[in-house]
Amino acid sequence: MTSIRRYLVTLLIALLTLTSFLAALQSYRLSSAQAQKLFDDDLKALAASVLAPYLPDDPHSTSTLAEANAIQLWQGGQLVYHSAQTPETLLSTADGYSEQNFAGKRWQTFRQSIDDLTVIVAQPLQDRLALSDQVVLASIYPVVLSLPLQALLIWLLVGRGLKPLLELTRQLTQKKADDLTPLQLEQTPTELDPVLSGTNQLLARLDDAFAREKRFAADVAHELRTPLAVLQVNLHNAQQRWQEAGLADPDRIMPALQDGVSRMSALIEQIMLLNRTNPAHFSAKLQRLDFAALCREVVIDLYPQIERRQQQVALEGDESVWLDGDAFALKLLVVNLLGNASKYTPEQGQIQLSVKQEGQKARLVVEDSGPGIAAEEYSRVFERFYRVGGDRHQSGQPGSGLGLAIVQDIALLHQGTLALGRSALGGLAVTLELPLCH
Amino acid sequence: MRVLLVEDDQALAQGVQLALSSQGFAVNHVSTGAAALSSIRSGDCDAVVLDLGLPDIDGLDVLKQTRHKFPRLPVLVLTARDGVDDRIRGLDLGADDYLVKPFALPELFARLRVIERRLGTASSHLITVGNVVLDSTAHQVQVDGEALTLSRREYVLLKLLLESAGRIKTREQIEASLYAWGEEVASNALEVHISNLRKKLPKDFIKTVRGVGYSVSVA
C-alpha cells in the first residue's frame, strides 16, 4: 500500500536535502576560494610590510608588492616608508581603526604606535565591500542556480505521485455505460483506497441490482410457467371429459377458460421477453449470422400455426444474408413479426417475407393480406401494451400489446430501423433494416 | 408406445399422464432424475418425456447420460427454462424435440406421434393424412382406397412428408433423409421427384412453401 503523501514528503525532503547539500557544497567552495584570496592578499601585504624597512631609503620609491593597500611608517614624526599611492601626510591621528579619505577614495585605516614608531595601514573601503559582496554572492549563486533544477524535479515527482489518481480518472472516463466491472489500480495509494473501494462497492451493488432485476422477470416467468402448464393440461383433460360425458356448453365456458389461459401465457411470455430485450439490461452478443437462414427457421417454427389458419406463406430474396447480430433477439424479432402477420390476417390469407442485402444493410419486409393498420396508428403500435382498437381488437385475437415494443427494442439494439406501410397484398408491410456490420 | 414421463410437478405429471393415457400411450411416471435413469437403464420405455427442472439431477445431465448409453432412445424435452440457449443446448445434447411450458397438449401428442412413427412402434403401421394412407409394413400407399404405384424414392419422400405432416421439411432435410435411406438425390432433381409425386396425389396435397421447403397439411 503506497501513500501519495508519504511518497511526496519523502521524495521532496530527499530532493531538497540533495540540492541544498549540492548548493552548500558549491558555496563552500566559492566562499572558501574568496577567503583564500583575502588571506593571500594579506600575506602579500605582510610580506611587503616586512620588506619595507630594507628597501632603499627613498620614501618615494614605489613598491609593487602592496599596490592595493596603503602603508605608512613613521619614526619620530618622520615618514620613513609609504607605499606607492599613499600621500605623505599623516593618514590617521589616533591609534586603532578609523575611516579616512585620501587619494580620492575612502579607506579603512588601522594605526598602531610603539614608542616613536607609528605604522598606519589602510585598505580601500570599496575593495572591502566588493570582496564581501563576492563572498556573499558566491554563497548565494549555487542556491539560486539550483532552484530551476529543484522545480523540474518536483514537477516530475509530483507527476509520478499523482499517477494513480490520473489512472483512476482515466479508467472512470473510459468506462462504458454498461461496464460494471470493478476498477483496478496496479498500486493503490492509501488516499485513493477509500475512493477505489467505495466506487467498486457501488459498481458491485449496481451490477447486482441489474442482475437481480433481470433475473426477477425471468424467475417470475419461470415460476409461472409450470402452474400455467398445469392449468392448461388439466383444462384440456376437463374439456375431454366434458365432451365424453356428452355435456353441453351453451355458455361456452370451456372456450372462455381456454382463452383466458392462452392470454395469460402469451402475456407472461411477452413481459418476460420484453424485459430480456430491454436495451438497458440486455447485452447483445453480436456474432456473424445468416439472417436469411434465421428467417427460414422462423417460418419452419411457426408453420404449424400458419397452416392451422390455412394461410399461404412464402419467403423470398437472397439465399443468405450475413450480418452481425444476436441470434436469440433477432429470432424473437422475426417470430413476433411473422406471428403478428399470421394472427391478424384472416384464414386463407397470404403472408410474404422478403429478405435481401441492399448495400451495407439487410432488409426484411413482412407483408400480409390482413386488414392492416391505419396510418395514424403507426407510431402508437410500438408503445407498450398498446393495441389497435383497445381490448376489443376486431380480430378477436388475444394479444398483449407488447410484441411490436419488443420488435422495436431489438431493432434498436442492432441500430436498425423499422417502418410500417401498406402492402401490395392489401395489409400491413413492416420493413426492417439492419446494418450488416457494427 | 411406452412413454417415460420425468416430471417433478405432481399436478402437471398427473394431468399429462391422464391425457397421454387417453391417447393410447402407456405412461410410466417418475419424479426424479435418479429414478428416470434407473428406469431408462431397465429398458422399459420407448420414448422419454423429460422435464429439465428436476429436484436431484439437472435434466440436461439426465439427457446427456441417456444419450451416452442409449443413443437411439428418443427424448422429448419439456422445459420451463427461458431462452433459446437452453433449447439449443438440449438439442445439442441429443434431445429429439422440445416443448416450452406452458404447452398445448395436442402439440405434445403430435410430437410423440412423430417419434412413434419413426420408431415403427405405432399400434398401426398406417399413416393417414386426409384421404392418403401409407402402410409402412406393406410399403404401400393408397388414395381413397386405390393403390398408387410409387418408385422407392417417391415412397421414401412421401413417408418423410407424411411423418411430419403439418410441418415444413426443408430441401436440406429431405436430401439428408433420402441420403440416409441410400437414395442419393442431386439437389436439382428434388423438384422433379416432388412434381412426379404430386401428379399421383390429390391436388395441392404437397404444398410448396416458397423459399423454405415442402409440407403436407394435417387436415
Side-chain angles (χ1 to χ4, degrees):
Chain A
M1 188 82 66
T2 59
S3 155
I4 295 181
R5 164 182 281 181
R6 205 183 317 145
Y7 173 82
L8 286 180
V9 167
T10 314
L11 275 165
L12 286 178
I13 288 175
L15 182 71
L16 286 175
T17 312
L18 179 72
T19 49
S20 307
F21 174 74
L22 287 176
L25 192 69
Q26 187 64 9
S27 48
Y28 168 78
R29 282 174 54 199
L30 289 177
S31 329
S32 104
Q34 291 296 331
Q36 291 286 347
K37 186 171 180 286
L38 195 64
F39 289 132
D40 289 351
D41 286 351
D42 280 356
L43 270 181
K44 219 166 153 187
L46 185 64
S49 61
V50 170
L51 269 178
Y54 303 100
L55 286 171
D57 239 8
D58 179 8
H60 303 287
S61 72
T62 53
S63 161
T64 54
L65 292 174
E67 284 163 1
N69 298 336
I71 303 168
Q72 279 185 333
L73 187 62
W74 299 80
Q75 192 171 26
Q78 282 291 313
L79 178 67
V80 288
Y81 169 78
H82 71 92
S83 54
Q85 72 252 68
T86 318
E88 295 175 10
T89 52
L90 190 65
L91 289 179
S92 172
T93 49
D95 277 6
Y97 293 103
S98 66
E99 285 183 15
Q100 306 291 340
N101 289 324
F102 59 87
K105 286 182 189 170
R106 189 158 179 80
W107 301 74
Q108 171 82 356
T109 61
F110 177 72
R111 176 184 146 143
Q112 193 169 16
S113 306
I114 303 167
D115 300 331
D116 61 341
L117 271 177
T118 300
V119 68
I120 302 169
V121 290
Q123 205 172 27
L125 264 176
Q126 209 184 354
D127 287 5
R128 285 177 70 106
L129 287 174
L131 198 64
S132 65
D133 276 1
Q134 274 174 21
V135 173
V136 169
L137 279 178
S139 63
I140 288 175
Y141 269 140
V143 177
V144 171
L145 285 177
S146 75
L147 273 178
L149 182 66
Q150 285 188 19
L152 177 73
L153 288 175
I154 286 174
W155 187 75
L156 287 174
L157 289 176
V158 167
R160 259 200 65 148
L162 290 180
K163 223 168 127 188
L165 194 63
L166 293 176
E167 172 63 17
L168 186 67
T169 319
R170 191 189 62 79
Q171 284 195 24
L172 276 172
T173 15
Q174 287 186 355
K175 224 167 180 29
K176 287 185 185 152
D178 58 346
D179 177 13
L180 295 177
T181 52
L183 298 168
Q184 271 177 342
L185 292 181
E186 266 174 44
Q187 279 186 321
T188 314
T190 346
E191 290 85 351
L192 281 188
D193 195 39
V195 178
L196 193 68
S197 62
T199 312
N200 280 344
Q201 274 173 25
L202 191 68
L203 284 174
R205 280 219 306 277
L206 212 57
D207 195 27
D208 203 38
F210 273 148
R212 222 179 14 245
E213 194 189 329
K214 216 191 300 189
R215 226 177 24 238
F216 178 72
D219 286 352
V220 166
H222 177 248
E223 291 307 315
L224 285 174
R225 272 180 180 149
T226 301
L228 265 175
V230 173
L231 210 58
Q232 192 131 312
V233 165
N234 286 301
L235 183 61
H236 175 94
N237 288 339
Q239 228 163 344
Q240 290 297 115
R241 284 283 164 88
W242 197 301
Q243 275 169 18
E244 281 163 23
L247 293 173
D249 187 6
D251 298 322
R252 301 189 54 73
I253 296 171
M254 281 296 177
L257 259 175
Q258 183 60 53
D259 187 46
V261 173
S262 304
R263 275 174 65 178
M264 193 141 92
S265 308
L267 187 61
I268 285 167
E269 207 63 20
Q270 296 287 62
I271 287 178
M272 196 199 64
L273 291 173
L274 182 67
N275 190 280
R276 274 179 66 108
T277 55
N278 185 340
H281 36 71
F282 182 77
S283 45
K285 293 176 218 54
L286 298 187
Q287 55 189 43
R288 206 100 190 111
L289 57 87
D290 182 355
F291 190 52
L294 184 143
C295 291
R296 273 199 293 279
E297 277 172 44
V298 173
V299 174
I300 293 169
D301 285 354
L302 293 193
Y303 189 72
Q305 166 188 342
I306 295 168
E307 216 248 359
R308 264 199 297 281
R309 294 177 61 75
Q310 297 168 342
Q311 291 157 335
Q312 298 284 322
V313 63
L315 176 65
E316 305 201 314
D318 297 337
E319 191 66 21
S320 44
V321 177
W322 290 92
L323 54 77
D324 293 335
D326 181 294
F328 163 74
L330 285 181
K331 200 162 178 184
L332 181 60
L333 181 152
V334 183
V335 163
N336 276 352
L337 287 183
L338 182 58
N340 272 356
S342 168
K343 219 157 95 173
Y344 299 119
T345 299
E347 294 200 345
Q348 293 173 330
Q350 275 180 293
I351 302 166
Q352 187 171 306
L353 291 90
S354 138
V355 55
K356 279 191 188 115
Q357 181 179 336
E358 288 188 359
Q360 281 308 298
K361 282 181 173 171
R363 171 189 283 203
L364 168 72
V365 186
V366 181
E367 299 173 79
D368 63 56
S369 63
I373 297 177
E376 55 269 25
E377 302 263 24
Y378 283 171
S379 60
R380 298 210 61 195
V381 292
F382 291 110
E383 290 172 17
R384 294 178 179 189
F385 297 108
Y386 181 79
R387 295 196 77 204
V388 175
D391 282 340
R392 294 170 189 281
H393 197 279
Q394 58 179 10
S395 65
Q397 289 286 339
S400 59
L402 288 175
L404 283 178
I406 293 173
V407 166
Q408 170 129 307
D409 277 354
I410 297 171
L412 282 178
L413 271 174
H414 290 83
Q415 279 123 48
T417 54
L418 273 171
L420 300 183
R422 186 147 281 280
S423 157
L425 296 175
L428 185 67
V430 185
T431 306
L432 167 76
E433 285 190 332
L434 296 173
L436 297 182
C437 303
H438 283 272
Chain B
M1 183 169 72
R2 296 167 305 164
V3 176
L4 176 68
L5 174 64
V6 189
E7 167 64 68
D8 68 316
D9 189 287
Q10 292 306 318
L12 183 62
Q14 225 174 350
V16 171
Q17 194 168 9
L18 185 66
L20 289 182
S21 307
S22 76
Q23 291 287 314
F25 295 100
V27 185
N28 177 22
H29 167 234
V30 292
S31 332
T32 61
L37 285 173
S38 86
S39 183
I40 289 166
R41 266 195 296 274
S42 72
D44 57 1
C45 63
D46 302 315
V48 182
V49 175
L50 175 69
D51 180 12
L52 289 187
L54 295 174
D56 55 342
I57 311 174
D58 185 342
L60 286 175
D61 285 336
V62 175
L63 175 60
K64 202 158 49 177
Q65 291 186 39
T66 305
R67 245 324 135 254
H68 186 64
K69 286 181 189 135
F70 304 91
R72 297 183 63 84
L73 181 66
V75 180
L76 193 155
V77 163
L78 287 184
T79 176
R81 291 192 197 180
D82 161 55
V84 168
D85 302 349
D86 272 331
R87 304 182 198 177
I88 290 171
R89 272 174 63 206
L91 290 177
D92 279 350
L93 291 172
D96 295 78
D97 214 339
Y98 63 87
L99 276 176
V100 178
K101 293 179 188 175
F103 50 88
L105 274 173
E107 190 64 36
L108 178 62
F109 302 154
R111 304 219 181 171
L112 284 175
R113 295 262 176 253
V114 171
I115 291 174
E116 193 173 35
R117 284 183 205 130
R118 207 179 57 215
L119 287 175
T121 56
S123 47
S124 131
H125 297 291
L126 304 179
I127 306 174
T128 309
V129 176
N131 48 2
V132 177
V133 181
L134 182 142
D135 184 337
S136 58
T137 39
H139 290 254
Q140 270 202 340
V141 180
Q142 291 188 336
V143 178
D144 290 325
E146 279 186 48
L148 295 184
T149 328
L150 297 178
S151 70
R152 180 176 153 79
R153 215 168 268 183
E154 286 164 354
Y155 171 80
V156 173
L157 191 55
L158 181 61
K159 184 164 182 275
L160 200 64
L161 291 171
L162 288 177
E163 275 174 352
S164 49
R167 297 211 255 165
I168 299 177
K169 281 280 171 191
T170 64
R171 298 173 53 97
E172 292 76 24
Q173 285 171 330
I174 294 173
E175 279 162 24
S177 298
L178 286 177
Y179 185 78
W181 276 81
E183 295 285 331
E184 205 165 340
V185 176
S187 52
N188 55 357
L190 188 60
E191 272 95 0
V192 180
H193 292 297
I194 294 273
S195 139
N196 287 341
L197 194 53
R198 271 202 177 118
K199 285 175 196 154
K200 300 174 183 176
L201 291 165
K203 193 171 177 288
D204 291 335
F205 185 76
I206 297 177
K207 285 183 184 162
T208 302
V209 181
R210 202 147 36 93
V212 188
Y214 301 97
S215 169
V216 298
S217 308
V218 239

